[in-house]
Amino acid sequence: MESSKQKRCRSSVVETIEAPLPLVWSILRSFDKPQAYQRFVKSCTMRSGGGGGKGGEGKGSVRDVTLVSGFPADFSTERLEELDDESHVMVVSIIGGNHRLVNYKSKTKVVASPEDMAKKTVVVESYVVDVPEGTSEEDTIFFVDNIIRYNLTSLAKLTKKMMK
Amino acid sequence: MTEIYRTISTGRGDDVSPTKCRERRRRRIEMRRQAAVFGEPSSSRNRDRTDMEVYSSFDVPLRKQARRSEIGGLPADIGGFLAPPAASSCQKSEAPVWKGEETEDEPLYGIVSVMGRSRKMEDSVTVKPNLCKPEVNRQRPVHFFAVYDGHGGSQVSTLCSTTMHTFVKEELEQNLEEEEEGSENDVVERKWRGVMKRSFKRMDEMATSTCVCGTSVPLCNCDPREAAISGSTAVTAVLTHDHIIVANTGDSRAVLCRNGMAIPLSNDHKPDRPDERARIEAAGGRVLVVDGARVEGILATSRAIGDRYLKPMVAWEPEVTFMRRESGDECLVLASDGLWDVLSSQLACDIARFCLREETPSSLDLNRMAQEDDNDGEQNPSRSVLAATLLTRLALGRQSSDNISVVVIDLKNSSQ
């Protein structure tokens, strides 16, 4: 078995959101509209829709994401690997783009918070990615955690506003 | 009749329909007036040449471009290189005209601001000759110049473009009772520094409290789709009879050309500048190398107006330079990093002063192009416009991938 020479790293980001699980999940699961809560996304177009779901949101869907200027990348191509509306799990892979996140795969799981199951939701996003050449594992994790934290903070603000 | 109509409407070959001809002519005229330049990727591709070789060979693409314009066969995608309407070139005559003691001579300057190869235009340029006549300058006029390079959208650079100079004017016209200790020059310098710092602070406060929709944040009902990075660099220069005052936040740049030497009037705010890195880390941030050094791995400039979510790591505070003018001063160049990423300060200085020299041959094609179109009797376009145009064209030729904005101010002929 040939082992990959590229070093990989993994991490998780956890965010508790003051909103009911169905609301949080309805935004997260919209694979075709990441710009609703992802702060560095300027726009998104669907390249192909998978056969399994409604409105091109099924497994295998591919999206082309345009990122805001000033960010260290211009675009990213991402595929929906899994979307389970019962266990509230979503798996997304990055399959292209002019960034350095190679072999990136993330799993997002949403559960009702034990503190207050009706009004609070816990979002856990875990990922694995290659460590880019010339960068340390620590820096890679810091960077990706940062992006995810920005996105989940934005999601928290969005859901708070939607509940008014 | 049908056959004739079909012939006229076909897009193939030499389309000579009246509408198309008028459109081409209008476009030609518009571009000449704006002194916009076009990318010539094939020119100066060989980067192994010495700077002067690149410089001396630069006439050829200009000639080709002129010929193409004369034929009228402009490429269809030309719109992408048009400057925004707000950016205009000063067509003032080079020779100072004596109009009597009461005349307020304005400085001679040229502006070019183009999208270049970027996806959209986020640069802004503001020039305000005779902004006001403040007490600190003995009630003589001051002139304001600025270049703003936005990121994450153009809203902050646009806001700076419309508002920064009004803040400077307001701050200058306030009669603050500041301490008068020290020599007169020290007092003047301290006052100018205070004016610029307060203006930048007010600008940053406005930018961070304004939503992308233009409403004040507390009143806004937008979804929080605002980009996590939404800000702008700002390099501003105030010109008086005796001094040049530069205030800079970010990685745009101001360079003074004095006796042929490039003197930096600003120092780029990059995250890997040792003192900037120290400041960022002291503020709890990190500098990561992701396609260059970036604050939090995200932003390539370490200071900016706006960028609410990256504060305090990305600071608003400008560095201010207070420079006394001398007889050897030739010109001042303000530009965004779309220029400086591919041109050294010294080379920009060399090209600008070459263009501004009186002996520069009038046979340069750009002069002829502009002259053909000039209806108001002006003999030649400003040499400052030519300088800004050549600098921009060279940057495009060197594969600059960003917006490019350049302001060249002729200091030899700007005694005011």
Side-chain angles (χ1 to χ4, degrees):
Chain A
M1 176 65 69
E2 183 184 357
S3 65
S4 170
K5 293 182 179 177
Q6 193 67 37
K7 190 176 184 183
R8 281 173 75 68
C9 64
R10 65 186 64 239
S11 182
S12 295
V13 177
V14 181
E15 181 86 12
T16 300
I17 296 179
E18 308 274 337
L21 183 151
L23 176 57
V24 173
W25 177 244
S26 70
I27 298 167
L28 275 172
R29 76 179 296 290
S30 300
F31 185 68
D32 57 333
K33 297 186 185 69
Q35 66 269 37
Y37 75 100
Q38 291 191 22
R39 278 222 167 106
F40 300 100
V41 172
K42 182 176 169 61
S43 62
C44 171
T45 55
M46 296 305 294
R47 181 182 291 194
S48 68
K54 57 173 182 176
E57 291 176 351
K59 180 174 175 179
S61 300
V62 176
R63 68 188 179 193
D64 284 308
V65 173
T66 301
L67 303 165
V68 301
S69 76
F71 192 73
D74 296 320
F75 62 94
S76 182
T77 306
E78 302 169 0
R79 179 170 58 221
L80 181 61
E81 306 287 356
E82 280 180 48
L83 183 67
D84 189 331
D85 284 304
E86 291 187 1
S87 59
H88 305 110
V89 170
M90 180 190 211
V91 178
V92 175
S93 295
I94 296 182
I95 60 177
N98 70 339
H99 49 72
R100 302 173 76 204
L101 298 181
V102 178
N103 291 319
Y104 178 96
K105 187 171 191 174
S106 80
K107 176 180 181 181
T108 304
K109 184 173 178 63
V110 181
V111 298
S113 169
E115 290 179 45
D116 188 342
M117 295 191 67
K119 294 182 181 175
K120 286 190 184 183
T121 303
V122 178
V123 180
V124 182
E125 185 162 345
S126 312
Y127 64 88
V128 291
V129 66
D130 288 357
V131 178
E133 198 169 343
T135 307
S136 69
E137 177 178 332
E138 183 190 13
D139 279 358
T140 303
I141 290 174
F142 179 89
F143 174 65
V144 180
D145 280 7
N146 222 19
I147 304 301
I148 295 173
R149 197 169 295 112
Y150 269 119
N151 291 342
L152 295 183
T153 300
S154 175
L155 176 62
K157 291 187 180 181
L158 176 59
T159 51
K160 182 175 179 181
K161 181 161 288 195
M162 289 173 74
M163 290 194 302
K164 285 181 177 175
Chain B
M1 178 57 71
T2 302
E3 185 180 7
I4 294 171
Y5 175 80
R6 190 180 304 114
T7 302
I8 289 172
S9 66
T10 56
R12 293 175 306 173
D14 194 4
D15 191 336
V16 295
S17 70
T19 304
K20 279 292 181 67
C21 286
R22 278 196 296 272
E23 187 184 328
R24 283 195 204 115
R25 185 167 179 277
R26 179 190 57 78
R27 202 182 277 153
R28 254 187 348 255
I29 291 167
E30 184 180 7
M31 285 185 302
R32 284 175 185 167
R33 287 185 178 149
Q34 296 184 25
V37 300
F38 313 105
E40 290 281 349
S42 59
S43 70
S44 307
R45 187 180 291 276
N46 182 2
R47 298 194 180 195
D48 291 330
R49 296 189 218 173
T50 65
D51 285 342
M52 288 312 294
E53 275 180 328
V54 170
Y55 185 175
S56 62
S57 72
F58 204 64
D59 287 348
V60 176
L62 271 168
R63 205 164 289 122
K64 286 177 182 174
Q65 187 63 49
R67 191 176 306 119
R68 191 148 52 124
S69 293
E70 284 160 5
I71 294 168
L74 292 172
D77 64 345
I78 211 68
F81 292 98
L82 283 175
S88 61
S89 306
C90 176
Q91 297 294 331
K92 194 182 180 70
S93 172
E94 283 284 87
V97 177
W98 177 251
K99 295 177 182 173
E101 287 182 26
E102 294 302 313
T103 303
E104 307 286 2
D105 284 315
E106 292 182 358
L108 298 175
Y109 61 87
I111 302 168
V112 173
S113 189
V114 298
M115 196 183 314
R117 292 191 184 82
S118 185
R119 285 174 294 162
K120 57 185 175 297
M121 187 54 167
E122 292 172 326
D123 281 10
S124 280
V125 175
T126 302
V127 172
K128 292 291 176 182
N130 287 309
L131 178 67
C132 58
K133 300 175 184 177
E135 186 65 38
V136 70
N137 196 38
R138 297 180 181 146
Q139 291 169 355
R140 287 184 295 187
V142 304
H143 314 290
F144 179 90
F145 306 85
V147 170
Y148 309 104
D149 180 356
H151 50 261
S154 59
Q155 47 276 1
V156 177
S157 58
T158 301
L159 194 62
C160 289
S161 192
T162 58
T163 309
M164 178 75 85
H165 59 278
T166 65
F167 286 157
V168 172
K169 185 168 186 280
E170 285 173 19
E171 293 294 332
L172 282 169
E173 287 173 347
Q174 278 197 78
N175 282 317
L176 295 183
E177 296 298 332
E178 298 186 39
E179 60 170 311
E180 301 279 331
E181 273 184 43
S183 70
E184 183 185 344
N185 191 68
D186 286 347
V187 170
V188 169
E189 177 170 351
R190 197 160 50 237
K191 285 186 175 179
W192 271 110
R193 287 179 180 275
V195 163
M196 300 315 290
K197 186 166 170 176
R198 290 191 300 274
S199 300
F200 272 60
K201 187 171 195 290
R202 292 174 67 186
M203 191 71 248
D204 179 69
E205 286 167 350
M206 175 179 274
T208 53
S209 64
T210 304
C211 180
V212 291
C213 69
T215 312
S216 181
V217 166
L219 301 175
C220 170
N221 272 316
C222 285
D223 287 331
R225 298 183 187 220
E226 183 181 347
I229 45 178
S230 178
S232 179
T233 70
V235 60
T236 66
V238 177
L239 186 66
T240 75
H241 182 269
D242 298 312
H243 298 105
I244 302 165
I245 302 99
V246 167
N248 177 63
T249 291
D251 58 1
S252 297
R253 192 187 296 171
V255 176
L256 170 65
C257 181
R258 173 175 285 174
N259 297 316
M261 295 296 297
I263 298 178
L265 297 187
S266 66
N267 190 359
D268 299 0
H269 291 130
K270 295 285 195 183
D272 53 358
R273 207 176 95 177
D275 56 336
E276 284 295 282
R277 176 190 283 267
R279 180 187 61 75
I280 291 162
E281 290 175 355
R286 278 230 336 231
V287 175
L288 306 185
V289 177
V290 181
D291 184 30
R294 291 176 177 262
V295 182
E296 305 283 277
I298 296 167
L299 198 57
T301 179
S302 59
R303 297 196 196 193
I305 304 292
D307 283 316
R308 169 158 78 251
Y309 299 107
L310 286 174
K311 288 201 179 333
M313 291 89 71
V314 176
W316 62 267
E317 187 165 355
E319 288 183 321
V320 181
T321 302
F322 185 76
M323 173 72 71
R324 176 171 287 279
R325 292 178 69 177
E326 295 180 3
S327 59
D329 292 349
E330 292 167 279
C331 62
L332 177 63
V333 181
L334 274 68
S336 57
D337 66 344
L339 182 82
W340 305 117
D341 282 347
V342 294
L343 279 178
S344 69
S345 297
Q346 186 60 54
L347 178 57
C349 176
D350 293 341
I351 291 170
R353 62 195 291 262
F354 171 82
C355 292
L356 295 177
R357 274 194 337 228
E358 293 299 322
E359 316 89 68
T360 301
S362 60
S363 59
L364 276 175
D365 285 319
L366 190 72
N367 283 17
R368 190 179 302 124
M369 284 172 64
Q371 205 165 341
E372 286 171 12
D373 194 54
D374 207 338
N375 295 321
D376 60 5
E378 292 283 355
Q379 288 274 321
N380 290 299
S382 161
R383 292 172 187 273
S384 307
V385 176
L386 177 61
T389 304
L390 282 181
L391 289 173
T392 303
R393 171 175 284 252
L394 184 55
L396 285 164
R398 290 189 161 191
Q399 305 294 312
S400 171
S401 58
D402 200 357
N403 302 154
I404 303 167
S405 295
V406 183
V407 180
V408 176
I409 303 147
D410 183 347
L411 297 176
K412 280 286 187 191
N413 293 301
S414 302
S415 60
Q416 282 302 105

